[in-house]
Amino acid sequence: AQTVTQSQPEMSVQEAETVTLSCTYDTSESNYYLFWYKQPPSRQMILVIRQEAYKQQNATENRFSVNFQKAAKSFSLKISDSQLGDTAMYFCAFDSGAGSYQLTFGKGTKLSVIP
Amino acid sequence: NAGVMQNPRHLVRRRGQEARLRCSPVKGHSHVYWYRQLPEEGLKFMVYLQKENIIDESGMPKERFSAEFPKEGPSILRIQQVVRGDSAAYFCASSLRQGDQPQHFGDGTRLSIL
């Protein structure tokens, strides 16, 4: 069974600064997908970024980028130029691919952006 | 294009009552997934349905919980004789084909049990 671990229950960052959220996972699969989801106080689940394991290049979406280390099974999220609207819970999620349909989520990291 | 629609957003029930949660997938999507988020936790898979079929209900409690996705209408997650421990946010996601990623999530239903 796959597991996803987010070791930082809470983090804070000053507005305009950069913050990195950690995620590690355990799997025996080779072709899989990784995601970061944002859950603001409104409780929506918003996809922030995705990474396909077969791609060596780290995914980037505007101020959000990942550091994907396949051998280390690590998938961290970097948020640059943090904004107040980035305040939310962030969940790392794993999909084992090959037609699977279950997403496995970590317990989340609560990020607070401080003005 | 409407995304995944869940209703109600908030549902309050007393212990012993029934809760019915509805999910309308993205138009054209025939695969629906239900997840539960307990307080201070990540989402956990409950059940996967295609039109008129339950494909995988391995994450759903055996007692009191059931799900359906009829040929016409939304998918329904039904919880009978609710207990305090059922208080959670229930999310629905949909996809066009099995295994398509990312799944499109609805805004969730927050169930509170008095």
Side-chain angles (χ1 to χ4, degrees), chain A residues 103 105 107, chain B residues 34-38 41-46 59:
Chain A
L103 285 173
F105 285 83
K107 289 195 172 185
Chain B
W34 285 93
Y35 292 80
R36 178 166 67 173
Q37 184 181 28
L38 294 171
E41 297 281 327
L43 278 67
K44 287 196 164 52
F45 169 81
M46 297 182 74

Side-chain angles (χ1 to χ4, degrees), chain B residues 1-93:
Chain B
N1 286 329
V4 176
M5 305 297 291
Q6 289 188 249
N7 67 81
R9 285 297 306 272
H10 302 277
L11 182 61
V12 180
R13 286 287 178 265
R14 297 189 181 280
R15 281 178 292 172
Q17 291 184 319
E18 178 180 290
R20 292 171 70 88
L21 288 63
R22 293 175 184 76
C23 168
S24 296
V26 171
K27 189 175 180 180
H29 285 192
S30 58
H31 300 256
V32 164
Y33 318 84
W34 285 93
Y35 292 80
R36 178 166 67 173
Q37 184 181 28
L38 294 171
E40 311 299 323
E41 297 281 327
L43 278 67
K44 287 196 164 52
F45 169 81
M46 297 182 74
V47 61
Y48 162 41
L49 308 102
Q50 292 181 34
K51 282 285 188 181
E52 301 183 90
N53 290 303
I54 296 174
I55 308 301
D56 181 352
E57 56 183 350
S58 61
M60 199 157 67
K62 298 284 187 286
E63 306 286 330
R64 304 185 296 108
F65 285 71
S66 62
E68 62 177 13
F69 188 17
K71 187 177 180 181
E72 300 292 337
S75 175
I76 306 287
L77 180 67
R78 182 182 178 207
I79 311 171
Q80 296 178 287
Q81 299 175 315
V82 296
V83 301
R84 287 258 170 86
D86 297 332
S87 294
Y90 292 82
F91 288 89
C92 171

Side-chain angles (χ1 to χ4, degrees), chain A residues 4-113:
Chain A
V4 176
T5 302
Q6 293 179 250
S7 57
Q8 305 150 315
E10 292 191 42
M11 292 191 74
S12 61
V13 62
Q14 291 289 138
E15 197 175 3
E17 296 294 307
T18 295
V19 64
T20 299
L21 308 184
S22 302
C23 173
T24 57
Y25 57 93
D26 188 26
T27 184
S28 57
E29 303 289 339
S30 56
N31 291 320
Y32 48 85
Y33 300 88
L34 293 158
F35 308 87
W36 279 97
Y37 281 89
K38 171 185 177 181
Q39 188 178 46
S42 62
R43 287 265 165 187
Q44 297 168 284
M45 289 294 288
I46 301 167
L47 178 66
V48 175
I49 202 165
R50 65 177 279 178
Q51 175 81 41
E52 290 92 341
Y54 64 86
K55 290 186 177 178
Q56 292 189 337
Q57 188 172 6
N58 289 326
T60 299
E61 288 287 344
N62 302 312
R63 297 182 296 108
F64 299 87
S65 61
V66 299
N67 183 5
F68 174 47
Q69 301 286 332
K70 191 172 184 179
K73 296 180 182 174
S74 170
F75 183 60
S76 60
L77 175 69
K78 185 171 86 170
I79 306 174
S80 304
D81 185 25
S82 297
Q83 299 175 0
L84 296 178
D86 296 333
T87 292
M89 285 290 291
Y90 286 83
F91 292 97
C92 179
F94 173 94
D95 170 46
S96 62
S100 81
Y101 43 80
Q102 288 190 30
L103 285 173
T104 301
F105 285 83
K107 289 195 172 185
T109 295
K110 185 176 182 180
L111 178 67
S112 298
V113 180

